[in-house]
Amino acid sequence: FFHLSRKPISIVKSELHKNCSSVSELATAAASSSQQPSRVSLHTDMDCSWKPFDKSNYKQLLGAMDYSFLCAYAVGMYLSGIIGERLPIRLYLTVGMLTSGLFTCLFGLGYIYNIHSLGFYIFVQVANGLVQTTGWPSVVTCIGNWFGKGRRGLIMGLWNSHTSVGNILGSLIAGYWVSSNWGLSFIVPGLIIAVMGVVCFLFLIEREYSLLMTEGGGRVRGKSGYDTELLLPRDNGTVCVPVQQVVVVKSESEPSAISFMGALRIPGVIEFSLCLLFAKLVSYTFLFWLPLYITKAAHLDAKKAGDLSTLFDVGGIVGGILAGVISDKLGKRATTCAVMLLLAAPTVSCLADHDCMLLVCGGLVNGPYALITTAVSADLGTHKSLKGNARALSTVTAIIDGTGSVGAAVGPLLAGLLSAGGWDQVFYMLMTADFLALLLLLRLVTKELTSRKPRPISTVE
């Protein structure tokens, strides 16, 4: 639902700036055969584009809106992980979802109240970017608390499909109203994420609770490394104490949260963070600009372009799952990412000419992105150098995803600037970013391939 609420802006872009020349030609033809030409002309002027995106620099303005959201998201992510380590995940996530719903709805109200100020839309994007940073560190920490390394690639690969599912649902919901009332394309997703915030508050369980039976019938209930209490069965008001000795372990104090610099010293955090910067640059450029590219290149309306762009997201689901399964079997996260990045560059170049490559490209582009932000982040957040301190998970996740979000902010901005000279320049940028992401992983790939005792992660508990 976080991703669902981010998607409408990419669908609505083609409505904020329509192809005014074709609209004017239709209006002129209608006016020549109409008895009321002035009314037709007025309708065209009002409905062609939404001010201030009706000028020739509309791509730069749309890119600035994307940059505002993503830059705020990148900056806020570093703080969000540190804060998230020190607050209950359930409350932190609920507040983030409610405020995300508020600002998503606020953007849509710009249509309802006929607001044409660029400053208003940029303010809403910045605020929404900041509050949406509550999501990723919280949910990765929660899933990491529930599953160990042995199944992490597969489980998180399946779980991470939620990002693409959210993008697909966001495209469909926003596309339903985009041509008639694009304000509802934001208001409806905003209300949905707010409602789910309440559901999260009521039902989210932050970590696994184990229930162990003693030989004498007693039950030991544990909380993931913290308190363990003995629950004794009662029979007719009397307490039956088991004969066997039961040791109740209670920690003196919870482990302290890790510092920012301490998280950076974990082996692999810097390399994967910088790799994600370029991988996420590619992914988010497609997220924010693919529907507009399809609209212009294939001459489709906004709804059809949004529906076609969902093929990219479907490919992302498959790619994320495959990356998780393969990395689990081989025990080589960096190598799996590197191979997919190597194959992604040529498919990006083919995308400029063949729409059928959307599915394949989505899998290869989003596979490494999904693996790094989920299983790799969870692995590094529970690295052996931490000596069992699992409270580093949120901070490590925030550092990796925050660095990636810098690329996510730069990518759509560059796309807006480069597309003015033709879409080919945008695709060259994306291919370059893929190769740079690959280069940053070479040291880790070499280390994995030359390891004397390569063991699949599935054998490690």
Side-chain angles (χ1 to χ4, degrees):
F1 293 100
F2 273 110
H3 274 256
L4 180 148
S5 66
R6 293 179 202 171
K7 188 64 178 181
I9 184 65
S10 65
I11 304 300
V12 173
K13 277 180 180 177
S14 55
E15 191 70 18
L16 295 178
H17 184 90
K18 297 182 181 179
N19 189 342
C20 295
S21 58
S22 61
V23 175
S24 298
E25 290 172 2
L26 292 173
T28 302
S32 63
S33 59
S34 174
Q35 296 180 352
Q36 296 177 322
S38 60
R39 293 184 63 183
V40 175
S41 177
L42 177 62
H43 181 77
T44 302
D45 291 339
M46 291 179 62
D47 290 349
C48 180
S49 295
W50 186 266
K51 295 179 181 180
F53 307 103
D54 55 342
K55 303 295 189 299
S56 60
N57 65 338
Y58 73 97
K59 289 182 180 178
Q60 287 80 359
L61 296 182
L62 293 173
M65 278 208 308
D66 294 339
Y67 182 75
S68 300
F69 173 88
L70 294 168
C71 189
Y73 186 86
V75 173
M77 184 60 73
Y78 292 107
L79 298 175
S80 180
I82 297 173
I83 297 172
E85 293 282 9
R86 293 159 173 81
L87 295 176
I89 293 176
R90 183 170 62 94
L91 297 178
Y92 191 52
L93 198 55
T94 299
V95 171
M97 296 179 77
L98 291 174
T99 50
S100 293
L102 171 65
F103 289 114
T104 302
C105 290
L106 199 59
F107 197 105
L109 291 176
Y111 176 87
I112 304 297
Y113 292 100
N114 204 29
I115 299 174
H116 297 278
S117 169
L118 179 64
F120 168 80
Y121 295 108
I122 288 182
F123 164 76
V124 173
Q125 288 287 83
V126 169
N128 202 10
L130 288 173
V131 297
Q132 289 228 353
T133 60
T134 59
W136 197 247
S138 300
V139 294
V140 172
T141 299
C142 190
I143 297 297
N145 287 339
W146 274 83
F147 299 102
K149 285 187 178 181
R151 298 171 293 169
R152 195 168 275 164
L154 171 61
I155 293 295
M156 286 194 160
L158 291 167
W159 170 76
N160 191 62
S161 65
H162 71 259
T163 59
S164 296
V165 172
N167 291 336
I168 292 170
L169 292 177
S171 297
L172 297 176
I173 292 173
Y176 185 81
W177 283 287
V178 64
S179 299
S180 58
N181 183 345
W182 63 257
L184 291 176
S185 297
F186 290 92
I187 293 173
V188 173
L191 294 175
I192 291 174
I193 189 175
V195 170
M196 292 309 299
V198 177
V199 173
C200 173
F201 175 78
L202 294 175
F203 298 107
L204 176 66
I205 301 175
E206 298 179 15
R207 62 180 67 248
E208 183 180 14
Y209 285 80
S210 59
L211 190 64
L212 307 176
M213 299 298 297
T214 65
E215 292 183 9
R219 292 184 296 171
V220 179
R221 183 183 176 101
K223 180 185 176 182
S224 185
Y226 293 123
D227 297 335
T228 302
E229 60 176 317
L230 180 65
L231 303 181
L232 301 175
R234 298 180 181 274
D235 184 20
N236 298 326
T238 62
V239 178
C240 300
V241 181
V243 177
Q244 289 80 6
Q245 181 181 7
V246 177
V247 178
V248 180
V249 180
K250 191 179 184 76
S251 61
E252 294 296 328
S253 62
E254 295 185 5
S256 59
I258 194 172
S259 66
F260 183 87
M261 294 305 298
L264 284 179
R265 286 193 289 268
I266 299 174
V269 167
I270 294 178
E271 288 95 334
F272 276 114
S273 296
L274 294 176
C275 172
L276 185 64
L277 187 150
F278 292 103
K280 202 167 181 178
L281 182 152
V282 178
S283 181
Y284 267 65
T285 299
F286 279 115
L287 174 67
F288 281 90
W289 284 94
L290 184 58
L292 182 62
Y293 164 72
I294 295 174
T295 300
K296 302 299 182 183
H299 306 290
L300 299 174
D301 60 32
K303 185 178 186 303
K304 290 181 179 178
D307 293 343
L308 188 58
S309 68
T310 58
L311 287 174
F312 184 84
D313 296 313
V314 173
I317 295 175
V318 177
I321 295 173
L322 283 177
V325 172
I326 294 171
S327 66
D328 272 352
K329 293 294 183 183
L330 300 178
K332 303 181 189 303
R333 308 283 198 206
T335 305
T336 304
C337 291
V339 172
M340 298 187 81
L341 288 169
L342 182 63
L343 297 174
T347 61
V348 169
S349 65
C350 295
L351 186 66
D353 303 311
H354 305 287
D355 291 340
C356 61
M357 293 298 291
L358 281 170
L359 195 66
V360 177
C361 184
L364 295 174
V365 166
N366 286 326
Y369 163 42
L371 186 62
I372 294 173
T373 53
T374 55
V376 170
S377 297
D379 288 348
L380 296 176
T382 55
H383 193 268
K384 61 183 180 181
S385 64
L386 297 173
K387 299 178 181 179
N389 182 2
R391 295 195 65 188
L393 185 52
S394 182
T395 301
V396 170
T397 301
I399 290 174
I400 292 176
D401 198 47
T403 305
S405 297
V406 174
V410 173
L413 178 66
L414 290 178
L417 297 174
L418 295 175
S419 60
W423 288 100
D424 286 345
Q425 296 185 29
V426 177
F427 288 107
Y428 291 144
M429 175 197 72
L430 297 178
M431 287 186 287
T432 302
D434 266 331
F435 280 122
L436 290 174
L438 174 61
L439 289 175
L440 287 164
L441 286 182
L442 287 182
R443 189 187 73 85
L444 294 177
V445 171
T446 303
K447 185 178 179 180
E448 285 183 349
L449 295 179
T450 57
S451 177
R452 293 184 178 180
K453 295 181 180 180
R455 291 187 300 169
I457 293 177
S458 58
T459 65
V460 181
E461 288 295 334

